[in-house]
Amino acid sequence: MKKAQKRSVFWIALSSLLILAIASIIPACGGGGGGGGSTTSDDNDNETTNNGTSTPTTDTSTTFTLTSSAISNGELLATYKCEEKVNGTEKSIPLSWSNVPASTESLVVIMHHFPNSNDTSNVNSYLLLWNIDPSVTEIAHGGADDGNWYMGSNKDGDAVSYTSPCSQDEGTREYTITLYALSQTPATLPTESTVDVTYDVLVNAIETVTVIEKATLTFNDVTGTSDTATDVDLDRCTQIKASITDAGFDPTVTCDSNYAYIVSDTYPDHDLMNGITGTNEQIPVPAVDYSSPIKLSPEKASNVTTIDAALGVAVNGVPIYDYSAQGTIDVTTYDESTDTTLLGQLDNCGGHAGRGDDYHYHAAPTCMIDSMANKGDSAILGWGFDGYPLYGNNNPDGTTINSGDLDNCNGQEDSTFGYRYHTSSTQPYVWKCLVGTIDETILPRVAPLKDKPTGVPPEGGVTNLVHSHNKTTGERSLTYQYNGESYFIRYTPSSSGDSCYDFVMNTVTHGEDTATYCRE
């Protein structure tokens, strides 16, 4: 009886062990990765994988994540569609990622689209990158062909390049960007950029190594009558930021629910003040933390607005006024007696120092335009405080603006933004007024240098005006001649405060002066 009891206990225990073993096997068989083997690039893999096991999604602080500033609410912004080809290549979509797995030795990026969602055997590839160092965490807009990695063929197979989504037919198309964290760079791939690496070549190469984890980003390209309006309503902040970064400038941009705030010191990197004859004996002094509020949801006003100050800001952070030397203007007429261009008050770049010793433009910012990384008719030059963009002398598509196309504010209707302003080679040169609603109480004005006397343009103008900036000492200097005599204004940063400057001057208006002046 005791032996029988022992045998029963033995078989019960054995059965329990078998049940536990079978239970532990069933989830492994049902998982997508395959029981600890090498993970491949099959599209049915988990978005983030680690030897075939899903990474928990509850802890986002450690999740391998891929994002793009070109995508908002699952849609590609209009700014990043149909990129212009330059020397056969297009500017790539901006990408950033975080939490690369620690054991990663190499990263790969693939962007693809299925023309027929029901046929995954037919695939178009738009971006193919490999041998990306795991320390890299972002690729800037247009930076895919300028890194220490390799690039494959574009969509058409005729160039080493990115291809931007650019469908002309109405509808919604889905695109997927996948970032692979690999155990090593596949040995089958070449160590140079080449059109020989296609989607199939790169996917097959990935299958020869271990995919430690992958992050995917799926978005839609929506085309038709309503797609750009959706972008404007939801993502004007992103578009404003992109207009600045794409141009290669560095003002900071922050947004709340109503405004984008472009913050700068109003002092440009380009040449300035040279070419002026009608100087008002002011010199540009940085205006730190000048903040330009740009409306995120612009709407037309019942009446246009003129202001005796800036009407908007350029993408380099420099304020843009109207053409007039002073005072608000009658938008229905043109007064050449106050035209800063005709008065010789503007430099070779369309700007000068105002009564507050602040630099700003009164005409097309030509030197800024020449220095823009995205220089061209499609580039946004600035933003009105009412939320509408400023373009150059031509339409964004490169076509000529005909006589009579522009209204009194020097703008016209726009299919993307609702309205746009333009610069022009003849008066009024830039915006003359604002068509959208604004809150004048929050518009910025540069605080003048306290107690510094303002200058007056010497009658008949000056000659040989030269502005210089010694970046080693910080000294800025303006020298000129009037009636055969030499005059100057010089200043250096003062130890009295961050916005204080030590001046030494001899001007036509006020004679000699040595003092420290500060912006409050």
Side-chain angles (χ1 to χ4, degrees), residues 273-349:
M273 300 299 289
N274 294 304
I276 291 176
T277 57
T279 180
N280 55 7
E281 297 195 295
Q282 310 282 154
I283 187 171
V285 178
V288 179
D289 293 333
Y290 178 88
S291 180
S292 298
I294 312 300
K295 288 195 70 174
L296 295 179
S297 298
E299 56 184 354
K300 292 288 189 66
S302 56
N303 296 298
V304 300
T305 302
T306 63
I307 307 171
D308 182 20
L311 295 171
V313 65
V315 290
N316 65 349
V318 175
I320 306 179
Y321 287 49
D322 59 38
Y323 75 85
S324 176
Q326 59 184 7
T328 57
I329 61 175
D330 180 352
V331 300
T332 63
T333 62
Y334 161 66
D335 183 1
E336 66 177 17
S337 68
T338 64
D339 186 331
T340 50
T341 297
L342 295 184
L343 293 172
Q345 293 184 8
L346 302 187
D347 60 21
N348 299 324
C349 303

Side-chain angles (χ1 to χ4, degrees), residues 204-346:
N204 290 337
I206 291 174
E207 292 179 348
T208 66
V209 298
T210 299
V211 175
I212 299 168
E213 196 169 349
K214 69 179 182 180
T216 62
L217 176 62
T218 299
F219 63 92
N220 292 325
D221 173 19
V222 181
T223 56
T225 57
S226 62
D227 65 312
T228 52
T230 300
D231 283 340
V232 171
D233 292 341
L234 297 177
D235 297 294
R236 188 61 63 92
C237 176
T238 301
Q239 291 173 320
I240 292 170
K241 289 180 178 180
S243 70
I244 292 172
T245 57
D246 289 354
F249 299 122
D250 58 1
T252 60
V253 182
T254 59
C255 298
D256 59 23
S257 59
N258 297 312
Y259 294 94
Y261 302 92
I262 301 175
V263 181
S264 70
D265 64 3
T266 75
Y267 199 96
D269 289 333
H270 61 65
D271 178 61
L272 65 166
M273 300 299 289
N274 294 304
I276 291 176
T277 57
T279 180
N280 55 7
E281 297 195 295
Q282 310 282 154
I283 187 171
V285 178
V288 179
D289 293 333
Y290 178 88
S291 180
S292 298
I294 312 300
K295 288 195 70 174
L296 295 179
S297 298
E299 56 184 354
K300 292 288 189 66
S302 56
N303 296 298
V304 300
T305 302
T306 63
I307 307 171
D308 182 20
L311 295 171
V313 65
V315 290
N316 65 349
V318 175
I320 306 179
Y321 287 49
D322 59 38
Y323 75 85
S324 176
Q326 59 184 7
T328 57
I329 61 175
D330 180 352
V331 300
T332 63
T333 62
Y334 161 66
D335 183 1
E336 66 177 17
S337 68
T338 64
D339 186 331
T340 50
T341 297
L342 295 184
L343 293 172
Q345 293 184 8
L346 302 187

Side-chain angles (χ1 to χ4, degrees), residues 354-365:
R355 295 187 295 273
D357 292 283
D358 56 306
Y359 188 82
H360 52 258
Y361 302 118
H362 282 274

Side-chain angles (χ1 to χ4, degrees), residues 449-509:
L449 296 170
K450 185 178 181 182
D451 298 328
K452 181 179 180 296
T454 58
V456 177
E459 185 176 356
V462 303
T463 59
N464 301 322
L465 184 145
V466 176
H467 178 271
S468 61
H469 179 193
N470 187 323
K471 294 186 177 181
T472 301
T473 63
E475 181 185 81
R476 291 160 168 103
S477 172
L478 189 70
T479 62
Y480 48 96
Q481 293 181 319
Y482 181 68
N483 289 341
E485 298 291 331
S486 296
Y487 297 90
F488 63 87
I489 305 172
R490 299 188 180 97
Y491 73 88
T492 55
S494 174
S495 59
S496 300
D498 291 339
S499 295
C500 296
Y501 304 90
D502 296 328
F503 276 79
V504 178
M505 301 181 289
N506 180 23
T507 66
V508 178
T509 307

